[in-house]
Amino acid sequence: MPKRPLPEPTPETREYWEGTKRGELRIQRCRSCSKAYFYPRPFCPWCASKDVEWFTASGKGKLYSYVISHRPAHGFQDWTPYVIAIVELDEGPRMMTNIIGVEPAPENLPVDMPVEVTFEQQSDDITVPLFRPAGSRA
Amino acid sequence: MTTAIVGAAETDEIGVLPGKSAIQLHAEAALNALDDAGLTKDDIDAVLCAGQSPVAVAEYLNIVPNYLDGTSVGGCSFMMHVRHASAAIRAGLCTTALITHGESGRSRVGMGGWGGARQMLQAQFEEPYGVAGPPTRFTIPILRHMHEYGTTHEQMASVAVATRRWAEQNPRAMMREPITVEDVLNSRVIAWPVHLLECCLVTDGGGALVVVAAERAKDFPKKPAYVLGTGESSEHSMISQMIDMTESRAFKVSGDLAFNEAGISRKDIDHAMFYDAFAHTPMFALEALGFVGKGESGPFFEEMRTAPGGDFPLNTNGGGLSYTHTGMYGMFAIQESVRQLRGEAAVQVAGVKTSIAHGVGGMFHAAGTLILTNDERA
Ligand SMILES: [Zn+2]
């Protein structure tokens, strides 16, 4: 497991990071225009309404785009190569993540492949959401 | 048309310059551009730059500014500086603007650190996933473009090959060995699908520009590059938030602004400089700026239309892929546009009357566009 550079949550992102600790992907949606969005903000990026709510996303999505990095980032030296991916959640928003549970080779990673969330605890405070091919057991 | 570039120069050398600090490179380029314009630093009343503070550059050169702009949004900052200087001159806030760039991108002399606060958005939502600078961020949209439009690895490699053909003939270009598509695809994988030869260089160097009102432009020693149209925009601060990974909204908004202001069509462009941080960047620019339809850039590059002898001379200095790339390359793109318009480029294209210099900031984060002409009647 790579030693990731760990973030420090800020007030408006804390619910997200509290959620990942419990194994839930907590994101936000707007009650005015009903669109979901990511990353966390106390207002809707689409219509600027402050009438927004947290909810637990399904954790299902598709592999929107990615690279297979051969450059060992700090903490990832023993893990190279690895997949830096953009996943599009079924609820609409996209987020950066890693794809785990498959060898990092293009043939295992078709664009638009269904993926599902999994969680990896890093510290007492931080658990990161990662994704694996849907239905796999990684 | 209200302003013109009347001074343009790079640092004495570009490439690997461990003996010079970043701000020293700003100043060296500035003094060269002042010489080029036949001015002294006491003629300057506006200082614009990125990377360093314009306050620091004004102090270093001992200039008393009436106008400062420190817009620093990555490699397209300089296109924005020309736009902002033009607006300020038009508004009567200053008369003679100096835009400087200097970066010790390779040797890291006198540069700030890379460290970022762990509470920043990037640190929370991208850095935990092992991104290691531009090669693992800027590159993420490529597979989406390939997936939706059938863009091929060979087509992307062709961008690097065409660009190298210009560099082969330019003595100041860092990389001048001829390369083939096969060489590109056989080079080391950096972040699949991107190979080493599809990534820009990392170098030291700088450049500077002097901008004045168009009606003064003929009072200077060199042929003016009139500012015909300008644009700028931004889209996101994190690549994961790009709206559609097959097209850059920032490129499109910026390009449309520039063409609308210039009042000319895409067919009127004789020469182009599209920031090439990676081989796919000019492909995205070609589409977003409206020179081809969406998804059509791959075949365009594969046909070598941008190479010497092609009908779309692009990145004629050798680009960031082969000429130089200090980290914020946009200044060098503008320098080459000016050289082509003056008729003094190392690899001169015949009959250039209009040139477009289009830059990117960050990882498709922002964009700036300049359309320049040497035709005073335009
Ligand atoms: Zn809304």
Side-chain angles (χ1 to χ4, degrees):
Chain A
M1 192 169 85
K3 281 199 176 331
R4 300 167 188 275
L6 296 186
E8 271 176 23
T10 43
E12 79 277 32
T13 68
R14 184 159 307 277
E15 173 70 16
Y16 171 79
W17 292 111
E18 289 298 318
T20 55
K21 273 200 273 187
R22 299 190 302 267
E24 293 173 20
L25 194 60
R26 299 281 287 165
I27 67 170
Q28 289 167 299
R29 76 183 148 220
C30 173
R31 288 200 190 96
S32 299
C33 72
S34 58
K35 280 190 195 164
Y37 63 92
F38 181 82
Y39 48 91
R41 274 158 280 188
F43 61 92
C44 169
W46 309 107
C47 74
S49 167
K50 290 177 184 161
D51 186 12
V52 298
E53 64 182 354
W54 288 92
F55 72 105
T56 301
S58 64
K60 296 188 185 313
K62 67 176 186 180
L63 179 58
Y64 181 76
S65 203
Y66 67 93
V67 294
I68 302 172
S69 180
H70 289 248
R71 281 164 59 94
H74 183 69
F76 283 69
Q77 288 87 345
D78 298 332
W79 213 46
T80 306
Y82 55 98
V83 182
I84 302 170
I86 307 297
V87 162
E88 185 171 294
L89 301 175
D90 281 358
E91 292 82 2
R94 293 190 205 119
M95 58 190 297
M96 186 176 280
T97 187
N98 299 126
I99 303 296
I100 61 166
V102 285
E103 282 301 306
E107 56 272 24
N108 299 331
L109 296 158
V111 172
D112 283 344
M113 169 177 81
V115 293
E116 62 192 14
V117 75
T118 179
F119 294 91
E120 198 177 88
Q121 186 181 354
Q122 309 297 312
S123 69
D124 288 345
D125 288 329
I126 298 297
T127 293
V128 294
L130 306 177
F131 284 78
R132 59 189 179 193
S136 75
R137 303 204 139 256
Chain B
M1 193 166 76
T2 57
T3 58
I5 296 168
V6 296
E10 296 176 354
T11 42
D12 299 344
E13 298 168 277
I14 53 171
V16 183
L17 310 169
K20 290 177 181 175
S21 74
I23 197 160
Q24 184 184 354
L25 293 166
H26 275 260
E28 183 178 303
L31 295 174
N32 288 347
L34 288 169
D35 272 351
D36 184 71
L39 297 174
T40 74
K41 56 108 177 161
D42 296 327
D43 297 310
I44 296 299
D45 61 0
V47 175
L48 305 89
C49 65
Q52 302 280 332
S53 158
V55 173
V57 170
E59 178 198 71
Y60 202 87
L61 290 164
N62 196 14
I63 286 170
V64 183
N66 298 333
Y67 185 85
L68 296 155
D69 182 325
T71 300
S72 191
V73 294
C76 62
S77 299
F78 316 101
M79 284 77 175
M80 294 188 189
H81 293 153
V82 172
R83 188 171 202 249
H84 300 175
S86 297
I89 290 166
R90 203 178 302 147
L93 304 179
C94 58
T95 64
T96 313
L98 175 67
I99 301 168
T100 68
H101 167 58
E103 215 170 6
S104 182
R106 187 178 182 109
S107 305
R108 310 300 301 173
V109 182
M111 299 281 285
W114 292 112
R118 291 166 59 212
Q119 295 188 331
M120 299 290 280
L121 289 172
Q122 296 231 357
Q124 290 198 56
F125 301 111
E126 293 197 340
E127 280 161 24
Y129 303 106
V131 288
T136 52
R137 284 182 167 132
F138 212 152
T139 48
I140 291 177
I142 297 169
L143 279 182
R144 192 75 210 173
H145 196 279
M146 288 181 164
H147 177 73
E148 292 197 16
Y149 296 109
T151 306
T152 67
H153 299 270
E154 288 75 13
Q155 288 169 347
M156 187 165 75
S158 301
V159 177
V161 173
T163 311
R164 181 63 62 88
R165 290 200 189 154
W166 292 105
E168 285 169 28
Q169 305 173 55
N170 185 350
R172 263 170 80 90
M174 191 163 179
M175 303 294 285
R176 299 176 57 199
E177 289 291 305
I179 53 171
T180 64
V181 167
E182 209 167 47
D183 292 333
V184 176
L185 297 180
N186 286 334
S187 65
R188 187 156 57 88
V189 174
I190 299 296
W192 189 88
V194 175
H195 305 81
L196 181 67
L197 292 177
E198 289 159 323
C199 302
C200 68
L201 305 170
V202 182
T203 62
D204 308 320
L209 301 165
V210 178
V211 181
V212 303
E215 54 268 26
R216 291 174 62 199
K218 281 200 280 187
D219 302 337
F220 294 86
K222 294 284 185 70
K223 194 189 238 186
Y226 295 97
V227 179
L228 199 54
T230 65
E232 69 185 79
S233 190
S234 70
E235 177 170 343
H236 51 259
S237 74
M238 294 187 281
I239 191 72
S240 55
Q241 299 302 310
M242 190 170 188
I243 293 158
D244 175 347
M245 286 203 173
T246 69
E247 67 176 3
S248 165
R249 186 194 70 187
F251 279 19
K252 189 166 189 318
V253 172
S254 179
D256 285 349
L257 286 168
F259 273 105
N260 288 342
E261 185 183 355
I264 64 172
S265 81
R266 273 66 176 172
K267 287 192 166 41
D268 297 324
I269 295 292
D270 300 321
H271 169 257
M273 297 299 295
F274 295 162
Y275 198 120
D276 53 346
F278 295 92
H280 67 304
T281 333
M283 301 176 73
F284 278 62
L286 193 74
E287 294 179 15
L289 297 176
F291 289 98
V292 298
K294 250 189 107 169
E296 292 176 2
S297 60
F300 192 97
F301 280 98
E302 195 165 36
E303 290 161 15
M304 287 290 136
R305 294 174 63 178
T306 65
D311 64 336
F312 194 86
L314 175 73
N315 295 345
T316 50
N317 59 352
L321 291 170
S322 291
Y323 178 69
T324 206
H325 196 305
T326 57
M328 292 189 286
Y329 165 80
M331 173 58 80
F332 299 98
I334 303 170
Q335 294 288 338
E336 175 67 4
S337 286
V338 172
R339 287 192 292 257
Q340 289 286 346
L341 290 165
R342 287 174 168 180
E344 56 185 38
V347 193
Q348 182 65 43
V349 176
V352 175
K353 283 205 164 58
T354 56
S355 176
I356 183 168
H358 175 79
V360 65
M363 327 287 135
F364 291 118
H365 296 172
T369 314
L370 297 180
I371 298 173
L372 305 172
T373 180
N374 54 22
D375 185 354
E376 62 183 282
R377 297 157 304 164

